[in-house]
């Protein structure tokens, strides 16, 4: 299993050469296995994924959405539009905002948020609304969900192919100590992709914003005996120089760990 990174920024894209090493696009990752594609979030990185799929589009696509903040869904219409009409399309989420998944997806694909004309895409997209903590199958992959503390809610996903597993945990207020259910969810994962948006000083002034630090990610990675930690949801004002410093600090404490780079393919 490989996890392809199409966007690793949080909140909004980061433009300019000072951000080119870790990338510009917001949250989007994917796992391709033959004719099946699993997508984790559909931020602006989903537009790059859409272009990459043109040469050999998958027959079935499962899109897992952590939540509905702009940085996680802005690329969704472009990804859906780019896929051939015969593609088997499924969207999975556990929205906590009171609106149903189908209504949320319809709003993203419709005026006033998006020009009219892709109603057909909506008609052939199956929306699977799950309860927090649900488990289901996507192609040959097993998926488990875990609710996260974030304004409006967010969901972590554990993806397993039966032999290897990854945990995707972004947009979460880091706890003082991860509780036993959270540690159990991540236990033994081969790869943990975790929100590391804030420096320690940023976290001090932004408690309640629903994001984590490298120290918070390390706490879970160590408690759950995760093999490899990769930081994600990069602050869009952190340039390559600061990102490299933070990555070196992380790698010193936990060799082999790093911060996600747009365009890379992470072995799981
Ligand atoms: Zn976000
Ligand atoms: Zn968010």
């Amino acid at each position: 299993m490989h996890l392809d990174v199409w966007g690793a920024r949080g909140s909004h894209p980061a433009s300019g050469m000072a951000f080119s090493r870790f990338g510009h696009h917001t949250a989007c990752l994917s796992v391709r296995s033959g004719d099946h594609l699993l997508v984790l979030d559909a931020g602006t990185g989903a537009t790059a994924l859409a272009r990459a799929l043109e040469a050999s589009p998958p027959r079935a696509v499962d899109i897992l959405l952590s939540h509905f903040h702009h940085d996680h869904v802005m690329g969704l219409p472009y990804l859906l539009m780019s896929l051939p009409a015969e593609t088997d399309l499924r969207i999975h989420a556990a929205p906590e905002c009171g609106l149903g998944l189908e209504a949320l997806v319809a709003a993203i694909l419709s005026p006033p948020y998006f020009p009219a004309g892709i109603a057909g895409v909506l008609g052939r997209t199956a929306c699977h609304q799950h309860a927090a903590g649900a488990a289901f199958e996507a192609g040959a992959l097993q998926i488990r969900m875990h609710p996260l503390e974030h304004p409006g809610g967010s969901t972590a996903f554990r993806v397993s192919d039966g032999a290897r597993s990854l945990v995707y945990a972004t947009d979460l207020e880091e706890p003082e100590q991860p509780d036993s259910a959270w540690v159990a969810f991540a236990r033994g994962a081969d790869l943990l992709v975790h929100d590391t948006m804030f420096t320690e000083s940023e976290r001090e002034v932004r408690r309640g914003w629903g994001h984590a630090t490298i120290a918070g990610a390390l706490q879970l990675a160590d408690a759950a005996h995760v093999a490899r930690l990769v930081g994600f949801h990069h602050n869009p004002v952190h340039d390559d120089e600061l990102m490299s410093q933070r990555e070196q600090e992380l790698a010193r404490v936990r060799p082999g760990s790093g911060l996600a780079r747009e365009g890379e393919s992470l072995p799981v």
Side-chain angles (χ1 to χ4, degrees), residues 67 69 71-72 150-151 171 211 233:
H67 63 309
H69 287 161
D71 50 327
H72 300 261
H150 187 66
D171 296 59
H211 294 288
H233 204 277

Side-chain angles (χ1 to χ4, degrees), residues 174-206:
E174 74 188 49
E176 291 306 319
Q177 284 291 329
D179 66 30
S180 57
W182 184 219
V183 173
F185 182 81
R187 183 165 291 133
D190 299 286
L191 174 65
L192 170 63
V193 176
H194 194 291
D195 189 318
T196 50
M197 187 178 192
F198 290 156
T199 60
E200 294 296 332
S201 55
E202 286 166 344
R203 180 171 185 250
E204 282 311 308
V205 295
R206 287 174 185 167

Side-chain angles (χ1 to χ4, degrees), residues 40-247:
L40 290 158
D41 276 336
T44 64
T47 60
L49 169 59
R51 279 195 302 280
L53 293 174
E54 280 170 9
S56 67
R59 210 174 297 160
V61 180
D62 285 283
I63 301 171
L64 279 49
L65 298 176
S66 62
H67 63 309
F68 290 83
H69 287 161
H70 288 301
D71 50 327
H72 300 261
V73 297
M74 196 182 164
L76 185 64
Y78 302 96
L79 175 60
L80 295 180
M81 271 193 308
S82 74
L83 294 164
E86 63 274 17
T87 311
D88 194 359
L89 285 171
R90 297 177 290 260
I91 297 177
H92 306 263
E96 289 181 33
C97 58
L99 287 170
L101 176 57
E102 217 164 303
L104 286 162
V105 172
I108 293 165
L109 300 182
S110 307
Y113 299 111
F114 202 79
I118 59 168
V121 174
L122 188 61
R124 58 188 175 79
T125 302
C127 292
H128 295 265
Q129 180 160 347
H130 300 279
F136 58 94
E137 287 181 4
L141 302 169
Q142 295 96 52
I143 315 295
R144 280 167 54 204
M145 308 169 87
H146 189 91
L148 299 172
E149 191 186 336
H150 187 66
S154 181
T155 303
F157 297 99
R158 183 173 178 124
V159 179
S160 172
D161 65 1
R164 315 280 291 176
S165 58
L166 70 91
V167 169
Y168 173 61
T170 192
D171 296 59
L172 69 154
E173 184 81 21
E174 74 188 49
E176 291 306 319
Q177 284 291 329
D179 66 30
S180 57
W182 184 219
V183 173
F185 182 81
R187 183 165 291 133
D190 299 286
L191 174 65
L192 170 63
V193 176
H194 194 291
D195 189 318
T196 50
M197 187 178 192
F198 290 156
T199 60
E200 294 296 332
S201 55
E202 286 166 344
R203 180 171 185 250
E204 282 311 308
V205 295
R206 287 174 185 167
R207 284 182 190 270
W209 285 39
H211 294 288
T213 63
I214 284 177
L218 280 166
Q219 212 175 20
L220 177 67
D222 290 342
H225 303 291
V226 163
R228 185 182 182 198
L229 169 64
V230 170
F232 188 77
H233 204 277
H234 309 323
N235 193 325
V237 303
H238 289 184
D239 63 14
D240 287 338
E241 201 179 317
L242 176 55
M243 294 285 296
S244 294
Q245 277 172 28
R246 297 187 72 216
E247 186 174 55

